[in-house]
Amino acid sequence: MKKFYFVLVCAAAMFFAVDANAQLGVGVGYNLGSNFTSLDDDAQNLSGFYLEATYDWNFIDKSWGSLALQPGVRFSYVGEAESEEEFGVKLKASTNETYLDIPVNVKYSYDLGSVKLSAFAGPVFSLGLTSTNKIVTKADGETGKIVAHNYTGKVVTKGDGATGELEGGVTDYGRFDIKVGVGVGATVMDKLNVKVGYNFGTLNRYTGEADLRYSTNVFYVGLGFMF
C-alpha cells in the first residue's frame, strides 16, 4: 500500500511540473473488465466507463518520431447485472466495482501532419476502491436485498425482519494489482485523440489459502482532449 501512495505522489508532482514540452489531457471511455479464475475457463465480464487525466512530457523529439513519459490518474467503474423470475419470485444479481489506476506509460509518436499516430506501454498501478455483490428479490409485494462488500467483508441485509449488518464475511479479494498496459492511439491537430488499449493483470488477487488464482484484465477505448 505504501508503494502505491508513493507512486501516486510522484505522478501528482509530475502533473503540476511546468515544462514547455508537456501537455495535460483529459479523457473518457469504455471499459471491459475480465475476471479470470483458475477454476473456470470462462471469464466474468464487467463493462463500464473511465475518467482520466494524463500528463505527456516529451523528452525526445527527432525526425523519426518522439518519445514521451505519460503518467496518468484514472477512475474506473465496471459492473454487470442479471435478472430472472421463477414461481413468482423475481431475482436480480449484480456486481459493481470501482478502481483508482495510475498508468505510467512510455509513448512513441510519429507526426503525419494533421494526424499524429502513437503507441504506448507501461505499468498500471491499480487500487480497488469498492467491490460489491448484490442480490435483490421481489415476491408478494415484499422486497429483500443482500449486499456483500468484498474488500471489507461487511454484509448488509434489508427486508422484512432481516435488516441489519454482519461483519466477518469473505475478505480474500485483494485490492491491489499491477497490470502491464499496451495500446495505440491517434491525435488530430494536437488536441483531439482516440486510443485503444489492453491491461494485463500480473498479480493474484486471491489472498486466501486455497490453491486458486484470480486475475483481472481490462480492454478499453476512449476519447480525449489535450490542452
Side-chain angles (χ1 to χ4, degrees):
M1 187 67 69
K2 291 182 179 179
K3 291 182 180 180
F4 176 82
Y5 287 117
F6 175 75
V7 172
L8 179 61
V9 170
C10 291
M14 296 187 68
F15 261 61
F16 292 103
V18 177
D19 194 312
N21 294 320
Q23 276 188 299
L24 291 174
V26 294
V28 61
Y30 168 78
N31 276 334
L32 178 63
S34 298
N35 295 329
F36 297 90
T37 71
S38 55
L39 299 179
D40 194 345
D41 294 333
D42 296 326
Q44 178 192 29
N45 293 319
L46 310 176
S47 60
F49 67 90
Y50 72 83
L51 303 171
E52 72 173 359
T54 58
Y55 180 94
D56 285 37
W57 174 58
N58 292 319
F59 58 89
I60 294 179
D61 196 356
K62 301 293 184 180
S63 60
W64 46 262
S66 61
L67 287 177
L69 183 64
Q70 187 192 58
V73 177
R74 177 181 299 166
F75 171 82
S76 297
Y77 162 82
V78 290
E80 69 160 358
E82 296 182 353
S83 300
E84 63 180 41
E85 181 176 356
E86 291 188 9
F87 306 109
V89 178
K90 296 181 179 180
L91 186 146
K92 181 179 180 179
S94 61
T95 299
N96 296 280
E97 298 188 338
T98 60
Y99 295 90
L100 180 65
D101 295 333
I102 305 294
V104 184
N105 290 315
V106 174
K107 179 180 177 181
Y108 167 77
S109 300
Y110 188 80
D111 197 344
L112 297 176
S114 59
V115 177
K116 182 183 293 185
L117 302 179
S118 60
F120 53 88
V124 180
F125 303 93
S126 182
L127 177 67
L129 300 177
T130 62
S131 176
T132 60
N133 292 324
K134 180 168 66 175
I135 297 177
V136 178
T137 60
K138 294 183 178 180
D140 299 327
E142 299 289 340
T143 300
K145 180 168 62 176
I146 299 175
V147 181
H149 297 263
N150 298 319
Y151 294 136
T152 64
K154 179 183 292 185
V155 178
V156 180
T157 62
K158 183 177 181 180
D160 186 20
T163 299
E165 295 184 2
L166 303 175
E167 299 288 351
V170 177
T171 58
D172 53 13
Y173 186 36
R175 290 179 183 266
F176 187 64
D177 196 8
I178 298 177
K179 299 181 176 69
V180 176
V182 295
V184 295
T187 303
V188 180
M189 298 181 293
D190 283 332
K191 294 297 182 182
L192 299 176
N193 65 75
V194 60
K195 62 181 178 181
V196 178
Y198 199 88
N199 297 334
F200 300 85
T202 64
L203 300 186
N204 183 6
R205 298 187 64 192
Y206 174 71
T207 60
E209 298 180 355
D211 185 15
L212 175 65
R213 181 172 179 82
Y214 191 98
S215 60
T216 302
N217 296 350
V218 180
F219 166 81
Y220 63 92
V221 56
L223 298 172
F225 180 83
M226 307 297 292
F227 294 95

